[in-house]
């Protein structure tokens, strides 16, 4: 069930795209009181939402959802019922289907969970996160593409044509998760600025390319090398050619891993233009911001790379837990490396109605930065009890793992299906929200679906 979107006034009308409307997540993060008023049609004291749900809210929530919330007494306060929290907004991007556009300059679009049901994410369903302006497609000629390897810790700086790279070095194909560090940001409160990702800044296609290690070693890595940095062909939003939209990288040890690739194909075809054709970096399990698109130059550095979005608060977390809303000094922020354990429910689609007497097949994906997912559990009673799902082995290191199970409903009513993954080091997803941080990174809380058992 979707809340009538007309209740949400467009937040701005500067966009040349079709009228944009604020989603419920955005509304809750920007102004929870107003969101409550819109959702429940009355004023709510934000300090006593639990009381509100108990005394008044349950009846109106049940009315809004259309049936009884069977485990209502177990539902944590302050949660937006998942039935009301869907806000997808299809928009046409060449080669893409069904993505929700969060921003059009730079272009940022995420994938609704039910479109990530394939074991291998098809090109049309892979999210887009641009920090600047993507190069015009006519500038992305694979036959003319060159890659320069340089930097103070490179012995023999060399420029290769893409054709040379493909001929000289052994090809490898690996399925690897690509996930934006900001995925899930929309749930943090106080809200973090930046794209209000819900769950769709992730995908797991099959990438073909060459090992970055092979290329770097060919050019000579000096003993003092500690980091690599990338430069892409995209432009800074200001249009200033001296500025880079983003120029990040990884420590040299990560760069030299077998799975760290310079890729020129995705799912056996050209990489989609918005995803970095004709050449991009792929680092398994790390924040996707390290995976440079349209890559033209890689530098081997004798220090931590200091390109655009490497400093300050960009892609960094406080190295100790902080209270929500804390101003954290820059020197206490550390670079994000591996991504945390996480899962998605990709079938069924949130909001469906299912016969209460029938079992419901449920499935999804689970992944973790380094290591493997050891188990996935599912709950239909707001996390009070959990049942184990069956889980597949990953296609290779850094691929996500499909899981499946069946759930039975005790009676008719409104349910939420929650999924929780645990990795092979015993680390699980938090049920509601992990540690607040200034930029709203690394939210790996459980994914929630709304189901009507009728
Ligand atoms: N050249 C370049 N590379 C880039 C970016 C960018 O804006 N420009 N965005 C980064 C970020 S923040 C993410 S999350 C991923 C997104 O990859 P995708 O757009 O293929 O999904 O690319 C990374 N590589
Ligand atoms: Mo990102």
């Amino acid at each position: 069930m979707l809340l009538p979107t007309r209740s949400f006034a467009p937040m701005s009308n500067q966009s040349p795209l079709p009228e944009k409307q604020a989603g419920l997540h955005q509304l809750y993060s920007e102004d929870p009181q107003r969101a409550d008023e819109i959702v429940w049609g009355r004023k709510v004291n934000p300090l006593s939402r639990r009381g509100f749900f108990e005394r008044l809210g349950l009846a109106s929530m049940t009315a809004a959802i259309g049936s009884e919330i069977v485990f209502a007494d177990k539902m944590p306060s302050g949660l937006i019922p998942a039935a009301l929290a869907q806000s997808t907004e299809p928009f046409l991007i060449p080669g893409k289907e069904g993505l929700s556009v969060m921003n059009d300059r730079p272009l940022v679009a995420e994938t609704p969970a039910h479109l990530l049901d394939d074991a291998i994410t098809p090109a049309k369903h892979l999210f887009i996160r641009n920090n600047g302006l993507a190069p015009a497609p006519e500038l992305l000629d694979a036959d003319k593409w060159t890659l320069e390897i340089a930097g103070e810790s490179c012995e023999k700086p060399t420029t290769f044509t893409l054709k040379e790279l493909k001929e000289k070095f052994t090809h490898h194909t690996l399925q690897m998760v690509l996930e934006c560090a900001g995925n899930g940001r929309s749930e943090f409160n106080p809200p973090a600025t930046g794209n209000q990702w819900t769950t769709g800044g992730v995908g797991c296609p099959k990438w073909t390319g060459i090992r970055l290690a092979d290329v770097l070693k060919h050019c000579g890595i000096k003993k003092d090398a500690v980091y690599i940095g990338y430069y892409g062909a995209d432009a800074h939003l200001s249009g200033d050619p001296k500025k880079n939209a983003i120029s990040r990288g990884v420590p040299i040890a990560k760069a030299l891993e077998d799975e760290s690739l310079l890729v020129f194909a995705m799912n056996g075809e050209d990489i989609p233009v918005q995803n970095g054709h004709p050449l991009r970096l792929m680092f398994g399990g790390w924040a996707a911001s390290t995976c440079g698109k349209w890559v033209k130059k890689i530098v081997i550095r004798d220090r931590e790379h200091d390109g655009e979005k490497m400093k300050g608060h960009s892609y960094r977390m406080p190295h100790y837990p902080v209270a929500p809303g804390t101003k954290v000094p820059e020197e206490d922020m550390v670079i994000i490396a591996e991504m945390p354990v996480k899962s998605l429910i990709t079938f069924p689609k949130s909001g469906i109605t299912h016969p209460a007497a029938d079992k419901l097949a449920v499935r999804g994906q689970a992944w973790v930065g380094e290591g493997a997912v050891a188990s996935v559990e599912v709950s239909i009673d707001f996390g009070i009890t959990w049942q184990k799902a069956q889980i597949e082995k990953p296609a290779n290191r850094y691929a996500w793992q499909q899981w499946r199970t069946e759930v039975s409903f005790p009676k008719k009513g409104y349910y939420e299906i929650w999924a929780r993954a645990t990795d092979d080091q015993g680390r699980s997803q938090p049920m509601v929200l992990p540690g607040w941080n200034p930029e709203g990174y690394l939210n790996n809380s459980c994914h929630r679906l709304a189901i009507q058992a009728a």
Side-chain angles (χ1 to χ4, degrees), residues 344-368:
L344 269 184
I345 307 163
T346 58
F347 184 90
K349 185 179 172 178
S350 193
I352 64 150
T353 299
H354 183 78
D358 296 353
K359 285 190 170 171
L360 173 65
V362 179
R363 60 176 184 264
Q365 319 287 1
W367 64 97
V368 58

Side-chain angles (χ1 to χ4, degrees), residues 127 129 131 179-182 197 288-289 315:
F127 76 100
R129 173 23 171 157
N131 286 264
E179 184 180 17
C180 179
W197 298 99
S289 54
Y315 302 101

Side-chain angles (χ1 to χ4, degrees), residues 96 106-107 109 126-133 135 178-182 197 201-203 207 230-235 245-248 266 271-276 280-282 287-295 309 315:
K96 298 289 176 181
L107 182 60
L126 184 64
F127 76 100
I128 300 168
R129 173 23 171 157
N130 291 345
N131 286 264
L133 304 169
L178 182 72
E179 184 180 17
C180 179
W197 298 99
V202 66
W207 307 94
Y230 69 76
Y231 294 91
D234 45 340
I246 186 169
S247 171
R248 305 198 68 246
M266 197 181 98
I271 300 169
V273 165
Q274 295 295 341
N275 300 112
R280 86 172 293 170
L281 283 164
M282 269 306 300
S289 54
T290 59
C291 306
K293 304 194 281 188
W294 314 291
V295 62
K309 305 211 175 184
Y315 302 101

